[in-house]
Amino acid sequence: MSEIQYVYFFGGEKADGDATMKNLLGGKGANLAEMANIGLPVPPGFTIPTDICTTYYELGGSYPDGLEEQVDDAISKMGEIRGGAFGDPDNPLLLSVRSGARQSMPGMMETILNVGLTTETIAGLIKRTKNARFVYDAYRRLITMYSDVVMEKAGGFEPEEGQGIRQQLESLLETTKETRGVENDTDLSAEDLEELVAKYKAKVEAVLGAPFPDNASEQLWGAIGAVFTSWNGKRAIAYRRIENIPDEWGTAVNVQAMVFGNMGDNSATGVAFTRNPSTGDNVFYGEWLPNAQGEDVVAGIRTPFPVSELMKGESNSDVESLEVRHSQCYGELIEIQHKLEQHYRDMQDVEFTVEDGRLWMLQCRTGKRNGAAAVRMAVDMCNEGLIDKEEALSRLTADSLVQVLLPMVDPEAETNAVLLTKGLPAGPGGANGTIVFTADEAVRRNELGEKVILVRDETSPEDVHGMNAAEAILTAKGGMTSHAALVARAWGKCCVVGCGELRIDFDNKQMVVNGKTLKEEDWITLNGTTGNIYVGQLDLIDPDLEHNDYFTTLMSYTDEYRTLKVRTNADTPTDAKRALDFGAEGIGLFRIEHMFYGENSDEPLFILRKMIMSSSEDERRIALDALYPHMKTDIKATLDVMSGYPVTIRLLDPPLHEFVPHDNVTREKLAGELGVDLNEFNRRADGLHETNPMMGHRGVRLGISYPEIVETQVRAILEAAIELTLEGREVHPEIMVPVLGHVNELKNQREIIDRVYQEVLDKYGVSNITHMVGTMIEIPRAALTADQVAEIAEFFSFGTNDLTQMSFGFSRDDVGGFLPDYIAQSVLENDPFQTIDQQGVGQLIEMGIERGRSTRSDLKVGICGEHGGDLDSVIYCHNLGMDYVSCSPFRVPIARLAAAQAVIEG
Amino acid sequence: MSEIQYVYFFGGEKADGDATMKNLLGGKGANLAEMANIGLPVPPGFTIPTDICTTYYELGGSYPDGLEEQVDDAISKMGEIRGGAFGDPDNPLLLSVRSGARQSMPGMMETILNVGLTTETIAGLIKRTKNARFVYDAYRRLITMYSDVVMEKAGGFEPEEGQGIRQQLESLLETTKETRGVENDTDLSAEDLEELVAKYKAKVEAVLGAPFPDNASEQLWGAIGAVFTSWNGKRAIAYRRIENIPDEWGTAVNVQAMVFGNMGDNSATGVAFTRNPSTGDNVFYGEWLPNAQGEDVVAGIRTPFPVSELMKGESNSDVESLEVRHSQCYGELIEIQHKLEQHYRDMQDVEFTVEDGRLWMLQCRTGKRNGAAAVRMAVDMCNEGLIDKEEALSRLTADSLVQVLLPMVDPEAETNAVLLTKGLPAGPGGANGTIVFTADEAVRRNELGEKVILVRDETSPEDVHGMNAAEAILTAKGGMTSHAALVARAWGKCCVVGCGELRIDFDNKQMVVNGKTLKEEDWITLNGTTGNIYVGQLDLIDPDLEHNDYFTTLMSYTDEYRTLKVRTNADTPTDAKRALDFGAEGIGLFRIEHMFYGENSDEPLFILRKMIMSSSEDERRIALDALYPHMKTDIKATLDVMSGYPVTIRLLDPPLHEFVPHDNVTREKLAGELGVDLNEFNRRADGLHETNPMMGHRGVRLGISYPEIVETQVRAILEAAIELTLEGREVHPEIMVPVLGHVNELKNQREIIDRVYQEVLDKYGVSNITHMVGTMIEIPRAALTADQVAEIAEFFSFGTNDLTQMSFGFSRDDVGGFLPDYIAQSVLENDPFQTIDQQGVGQLIEMGIERGRSTRSDLKVGICGEHGGDLDSVIYCHNLGMDYVSCSPFRVPIARLAAAQAVIEG
């Protein structure tokens, strides 16, 4: 074929494409081709690849020459396989037109089914199927989808909320049902539907100013154009922002021969997973609806039935499983799902349709799963020999692990709580929050710092921003494969769906459940693992990972690969212990100021404040002497827990003003202790105020102004260390000077440290105390002059939070004022405080490491910003040759995974 | 000579050293050697070089082997030339021991005269001189200096203020004078003095616990050690901090045969300048005292006489000049000063002594001069052929020019003011401030932001920190060569000395002048050029440079050399005009927000505030539309003044909160205009508050959030430009985007700018408007990614203020809390906001230029931080290949000088 291939055909157990061609054909198209290739019953069709989407936009909404001809040829071939011909009045072939991007964007783009139904072909189809009800129902659906997607959305109409053509048509349907006194669509007769479609067409023309096209080819090209147009729809763009999908990828269009799950009682449609996507359990798992089209299952209009008997539980023991109703098809499906999993070596999410007793596969893709399921599947598949450990580790994402580590509802609190109702457990973990009923309100209150639960009848792509802002999502309708469930699972967000007893009264901003009324702003708690809903704010606790064998096993895999050490940021023995349980190999950041507590005048926080409010060295020394025993005891306790591992202790860092109490009671008490009046106290407090405290008198700058503060801290560290050593413990304290910009600052501090070291040696009569002296690299100038700094520093710890602040000139406290605009306008792809900006900040890190090691080849290098728990950033740190990363205890498993992935990726 | 040379001899018209050896011999030693070499009458002596000072400290206060022997040899040679021998009872040679660093540190280190007087040698000397009074007077002085410098200071005593041994001895002297009923030391008889020295010796032993040494050699080595010790005295260290003199330079010691200006009425001593150091006038200029030693002139104890008849004025018409009293020596001195100036090709500051009618030269060095004098001398010497233009330019310092540009007392205000009193005009310019009587108080009130005038009887090195903090210095005693005058002249600080009518009452913190009492905190105004003192705060004005031919000529020299363009930072047509007068070649920084003024509701500042307090784009647009005509008019006016030159206009930069008025009256007025109540207004104002506004929502970040603000500014600039062009003016607006960190920010803004450009083209029907689009480089990330930024930017302007802030993490507003500690502890040598930190910040600048030009070879590069007016920084900018620097109008001449010096230095 000398001409350019615009169309990739599949069907009849072979295809032009295959699963490797996702970038070109989109996920759906590539997998349809693959399924055809491995002999599965796929309705024939073709894919117009993603690059044509780009071409379409470049050409201002036109298609390249030659596309139409190739489409025509493909449709002819489809007719040969499936029977019938597109637009043929006697034996019309109907088509589905669907989007399909590289990466799944569930519900974000458009689908039009039953394309090819016209006044002419309707008659032929009725004659052939002898099922006028089915044909008019299909026609009704076509008009609805087409007028919504092609005529209204792609046509640029922007109706008021709730006034879209789809809603107006559905309202006609509701009226008809009321008039006829029936509840379900399926109860309407062929005549009812024939009348209804006439009303539909009149309404469409009245509202959108153009008739519904009565020409098969016009319908097809309208649908193809609408799919391309939907790529740049608002919802799709918003979703891409959240998921970091590049705008230039584009979508493919899949045109496929229709098969009908709604052709009567011998037809059905369903979606399924080859394993349970919520638990990871290796059983076939899915839902189906009799006499329905696929959209009915996903949209959550009717609550679907379980595919297998095994899946049936208390709440749905009375419904019919596919296993029983279509046992032959079910058997076929079991074989297919097994074949697919072996073929793809991963859990698959499939869509199928039974048309008059015959099974058709409409889609297959790697199935989304929650974190616990991801962990379990990775370990199980490894044990089954389906994949190796490298593959198991590579598949895991940070988000999956976060989900496993997510808080859950405290079982004890649950025991004592009164259950409000129960739904389907669609998203993991537990959550509590106050009720909101709209996505916008969820966003608004989230921005105010409130925890909210978004409660909806069902969610749609229009709700995505609110779902993102909410702690959890609760829906009255929809199943485990509904929009809400899919999105929540992808994000690892707690979600309960299909909670049938729930009645939302939007006008009065309240909901009624079993006679109990809850208003907006009332607290509820969701258990996403059981589907239980409680009134009030139940405690959340961290999950019990020690007894999670899948998690423990997976974590043990990481240690077989990674070379990067993972430490933790911890300020108390409790945190330190917890981090050890997560696999931490030391403390990378112990913030000395974080260990102080207590408002009583003999408690360390109070004494620290007294020290800070002192106005002379003498006053300060009195407070420091009182603080000293606390400091030593607490440092000792943490060093003790971390015996055998290094502990980096950062000297006092924050601007002093941060410690000044705001309430007058505490102020007066402190003033009294200092022997000054409140006016004098307030004067001192005002004196500590700074315009830009982040760049003010903090870190090493305090140490230079008040050397006695440094002395006391260093003495506490070294005395704690030698005392533990003498008790037979193995301690490795690393004294870290923060906020360094110039080597002279470190020289100055090191003189004090070395002097105190000598004094402690003398006091204990020993000749050595294991310790290191190093610095944070968090000020650009320190990175630029790292060669000089390393003359004095024995280790560097990159403080990437501050380094990012200074490199960008972004105050982390104030970035909320503009960063959302930056992300919305694509000025920045990511929040640089979440993922290291490799192009900019990364240069300073690379420079810092390279120059530092040029002076001191054995310089120990780590990172202790929050990036230490970000997967991409950890991989970056590995590639830069750092010795360790340090992150919050909770992120330690993620860092371990990332460190292993970094090695596996090479 | 195979051994190491520790001693450099001079005398008898030859010397081991010469003037080029300042680093080794110190300034004084090198010049004594040079004077000997060119045949001037220098008392013989030798120099122990500066490196021995370092050795002395390294050896813990000992001398290298062999030094003593070389010293003995040198003293023998001195005796051969001068006659007598050191310690010889019959014909004792007396010695002076003085410090002498590379760079003059006036009064900071120690001098001991008359070394070698002992019980034994006193008798011999009286016999030889037949002048017992002179001998006991010399002995008294030796005991005073030695006990103070060697025994007390170098001995580590730290007496209470006013309780030093010197004061205690002087108090004995005063008592004796009172007892004898005489006023001057010279009126005391030999017997009086003999009694006095006995009391002195008893007092020394009682106070310092050791007898005054009665051995010549012990005296000599004590004195040498004390000079070395004085290098690390507190005053000397403080002075070095201020003057940026490295600690490791050390001081030399000069040991010289004494000559006596106090041997009787046929003896005298004096200091002089080869030209007038205050005006630059080419006349011999100096002061002398009969029958005195050099310290008497400098210390200001007696007000000295003018050397020449020409120098006599109204206030001293009755005193005798050296010219008349010692006409032969004066003639010799005139010849010598001429010879010295021709030899050194610069103005010299000399010390001389007439001993019994014979002239001796004790010191010569390049004379300090104030700025006006420096400018005049440079131009005069150039005209005289003594130096060329390069030399003239190289000699000028930024400080000299600053002095010329210093404000002066408004002559009109002076005409109407009542003269309080008059003193000697010792420091240039004018100053006003409130009175303080102690150095510590001057520092304290200066730190509170107050302008103070330090008023002292006379100043001493202990006052240096207060002199530095004061606007000006006023002394009751002392002449043009007194400590106060020397220091003030060096710093270009306004100073009036020897104000005889002034009586200070320290106890009551007040001063009485001609019966008028002024208290601490009363305002006075000094005219440092005339010596006039006024009560109250007289206006200060800028000097008339247009009619200063010397200044104009010197500035024209700079233009013959420099290649770096000099622009100015100006926000109004007035500033722009002024900068043009100073030689500016364009505006490098026009801050759009600075041009707004006016509190009335139709004035731009008010409207700007209204715009800022708007809560929606619509509200903002209403305010912007009202602001637009003002903006355009004002930009047009400045572009008009700068016709022919480029004008860089920076788009709105500061955090919006800065514009929010604080007073409720204005708030209510604004709220009214916006149609909201005060609560709502305050809520909006609070919403703009930021924790670290320097790194907050400002600069380009505003432009991204509020594109309409950018549009309006760009439209005003481009419409102003095209209208002026159509009027025949030549305009070059350069639109500058501030606070850039990422190329995407500039892409975003450039799209807006280009769109508005097209709209303005269409509106005026033209095809082009000359303009450029560029950015500030003031965020580290922008410098790091300058290659990307230059893809969009046509010019870079380094905002080194912010770049320094971000690179160091130093908030300029808060740096006062710790930077003084940094300077005091030598953590930083300089304030990086004054002089570019080349090692750190400089790397980002170099990177920015190099990477920027790698993408765009014709990238225009400049600097617009305040460093643009700092001499060292300008030279650095030249060396980095920048196209221009931009600084405040006032600093333009300094930048021009620096740019020329950069070329001359190569």
Side-chain angles (χ1 to χ4, degrees), chain B residues 101-164:
Chain B
R102 277 199 213 186
Q103 184 176 323
S104 171
M105 295 167 63
M108 286 303 146
M109 286 180 303
E110 305 298 352
T111 291
I112 299 129
L113 304 181
N114 308 330
V115 170
L117 273 180
T118 62
T119 321
E120 271 194 328
T121 57
I122 282 174
L125 195 63
I126 291 176
K127 208 194 282 177
R128 280 187 58 82
T129 60
K130 303 184 178 61
N131 189 340
R133 213 213 73 82
F134 152 70
V135 175
Y136 282 111
D137 188 54
Y139 195 42
R140 168 186 76 80
R141 291 172 190 264
L142 169 63
I143 298 169
T144 306
M145 288 186 265
Y146 195 92
S147 63
D148 172 20
V149 172
V150 184
M151 299 177 72
E152 184 174 278
K153 291 213 181 86
F157 288 86
E158 291 192 350
E160 295 285 303
E161 173 84 22
Q163 295 301 306

Side-chain angles (χ1 to χ4, degrees), chain A residues 444-509:
Chain A
R444 194 186 70 77
R445 297 224 331 250
N446 172 256
E447 282 173 357
L448 295 175
E450 297 179 27
K451 289 169 67 178
V452 299
I453 310 278
L454 179 62
V455 181
R456 302 286 287 161
D457 269 334
E458 53 183 308
T459 63
S460 73
E462 275 85 4
D463 295 318
V464 163
H465 60 302
M467 297 166 79
N468 197 25
E471 298 296 308
I473 301 138
L474 171 61
T475 68
K477 299 184 185 169
M480 293 296 281
T481 50
S482 64
H483 178 261
L486 285 175
V487 171
R489 207 142 54 221
W491 288 346
K493 192 162 287 235
C494 178
C495 178
V496 175
V497 298
C499 197
E501 292 169 339
L502 197 151
R503 297 279 172 274
I504 304 177
D505 174 358
F506 285 103
D507 291 340
N508 295 307
K509 295 188 180 176

